[in-house]
Amino acid sequence: MATLALISFTHSDPLCRAISGIDTVRATPSAILDGVIEGRYDYGMVSLLGYIRNMDRLSLIDSGTIHSNGKILSTILVSTQLSIKKGSQVSVTAHSETTLFYAKAISERLGLDLEFIPSRFTEARDLLSERDYALVIGDEALKVYQSRYRILMDIGFEFSLLFHLPPVFAVTVAGKDSVSLTINGIIDDAVRNSSLYREESVKVNSGKLGVKDHILTEYYSLLRYGFDDSVRKSIEFVESIYSSGRRDQV
């Protein structure tokens, strides 16, 4: 049986629970990217930037994404300061290349001139021990809603507001020219059924992460897993910037 690798973050749990008809594994986006390229996984969900950087070796599957129509909760700019100061340095967490693209695009559009500095840390507390501002994503971002840190920007919301496109964070891919139409049906079914697994995912992850139920309930209500024309336009937008040579933006 073919293998589908899904991202091992909380956001993928309802989709993963809804999958049937194919073996699944969980891993980080970078590990999945390597696994698909090396042929260890037949299909995998990778970061949007991971796909774009390797388009010559990957095929995009028109199903199975991580995106929102705006606000998403799990990609945030946090600080100990009251507001964003122009020219500030921002600590950037791991696994954040697509969120970093959106943050840079927002900074440029708003004239903030923010400088993004890679960090080995992932938790808001550690990132903010380095600088006054931090870009926090995923499970660590959800924990911030129960902390004393100020959330200055939801990256997904701000991107959608400024560019009128849904922020797409992850897409599903296969090896070049190895896509089977069967996988689209399997993932499409899981996308439709994923809402049935939200409550279960809330209960499991509330205990695991120490995040209150109402935060996770809102989070899962904002997440989208499908693929439509607006998603395609967002992918093409990021791809156009990358291919134009403005790779410092991604």
Side-chain angles (χ1 to χ4, degrees), residues 21 43 179-188:
Y43 310 100
V179 176
S180 165
L181 292 179
T182 304
I183 188 63
N184 290 70
I186 288 173
I187 299 176
D188 285 345

Side-chain angles (χ1 to χ4, degrees), residues 159-177:
F159 177 81
S160 66
L161 183 67
L162 291 173
F163 297 97
H164 309 291
L165 291 167
V168 180
F169 297 95
V171 295
T172 303
V173 300
K176 198 68 175 177
D177 302 320

Side-chain angles (χ1 to χ4, degrees), residues 1-5 22-25 36 40-44 173 183:
M1 185 178 288
T3 300
L4 168 64
I22 191 170
D23 288 336
T24 58
V25 298
V36 173
R40 289 182 282 111
Y41 305 137
D42 299 287
Y43 310 100
V173 300
I183 188 63

Side-chain angles (χ1 to χ4, degrees), residues 31-94:
I32 295 173
L33 179 64
D34 290 342
V36 173
I37 290 174
E38 294 167 6
R40 289 182 282 111
Y41 305 137
D42 299 287
Y43 310 100
M45 187 174 281
V46 302
S47 73
L48 175 56
L49 263 295
Y51 160 66
I52 289 173
R53 286 189 289 101
N54 294 276
M55 290 177 63
D56 59 328
R57 296 188 286 179
L58 297 171
S59 296
L60 179 66
I61 293 174
D62 295 352
S63 185
T65 66
I66 301 293
H67 76 279
S68 76
N69 291 328
K71 181 181 178 182
I72 195 170
L73 298 186
S74 60
T75 60
I76 53 178
L77 181 68
V78 304
S79 182
T80 56
Q81 304 298 307
L82 291 173
S83 61
I84 305 172
K85 297 177 182 178
K86 184 175 180 178
S88 294
Q89 292 185 332
V90 181
S91 288
V92 178
T93 185

Side-chain angles (χ1 to χ4, degrees), residues 32-232:
I32 295 173
L33 179 64
D34 290 342
V36 173
I37 290 174
E38 294 167 6
R40 289 182 282 111
Y41 305 137
D42 299 287
Y43 310 100
M45 187 174 281
V46 302
S47 73
L48 175 56
L49 263 295
Y51 160 66
I52 289 173
R53 286 189 289 101
N54 294 276
M55 290 177 63
D56 59 328
R57 296 188 286 179
L58 297 171
S59 296
L60 179 66
I61 293 174
D62 295 352
S63 185
T65 66
I66 301 293
H67 76 279
S68 76
N69 291 328
K71 181 181 178 182
I72 195 170
L73 298 186
S74 60
T75 60
I76 53 178
L77 181 68
V78 304
S79 182
T80 56
Q81 304 298 307
L82 291 173
S83 61
I84 305 172
K85 297 177 182 178
K86 184 175 180 178
S88 294
Q89 292 185 332
V90 181
S91 288
V92 178
T93 185
H95 308 303
S96 64
E97 61 176 348
T98 301
T99 301
L100 178 58
F101 162 75
Y102 294 137
K104 286 181 176 180
I106 292 165
S107 174
E108 181 180 352
R109 177 63 65 91
L110 296 179
L112 291 172
D113 299 325
L114 299 176
E115 182 181 0
F116 297 92
I117 311 296
S119 172
R120 62 187 177 86
F121 295 121
T122 59
E123 298 280 352
R125 176 189 60 190
D126 298 322
L127 292 162
L128 291 172
S129 71
E130 297 179 323
R131 292 171 184 86
D132 290 334
Y133 301 87
L135 191 62
V136 189
I137 72 163
D139 297 355
E140 286 76 13
L142 296 175
K143 298 174 186 177
V144 172
Y145 292 88
Q146 298 176 169
S147 76
R148 59 185 176 83
Y149 302 119
R150 293 183 179 88
I151 300 171
L152 301 181
M153 186 183 293
D154 183 305
I155 298 299
F157 173 78
E158 199 68 31
F159 177 81
S160 66
L161 183 67
L162 291 173
F163 297 97
H164 309 291
L165 291 167
V168 180
F169 297 95
V171 295
T172 303
V173 300
K176 198 68 175 177
D177 302 320
S178 62
V179 176
S180 165
L181 292 179
T182 304
I183 188 63
N184 290 70
I186 288 173
I187 299 176
D188 285 345
D189 286 344
V191 170
R192 284 190 292 270
N193 294 328
S194 61
S195 61
L196 302 175
Y197 296 89
R198 286 179 185 172
E199 186 175 345
E200 180 181 352
S201 297
V202 167
K203 290 179 179 178
V204 170
N205 289 305
S206 177
K208 185 171 72 174
L209 299 177
V211 173
K212 293 181 179 178
D213 286 7
H214 73 88
I215 295 172
L216 288 169
T217 297
E218 181 182 5
Y219 182 45
Y220 286 129
S221 74
L222 297 170
L223 284 167
R224 300 289 182 270
Y225 299 127
F227 194 110
D228 58 20
D229 287 342
S230 64
V231 167
R232 189 180 299 281

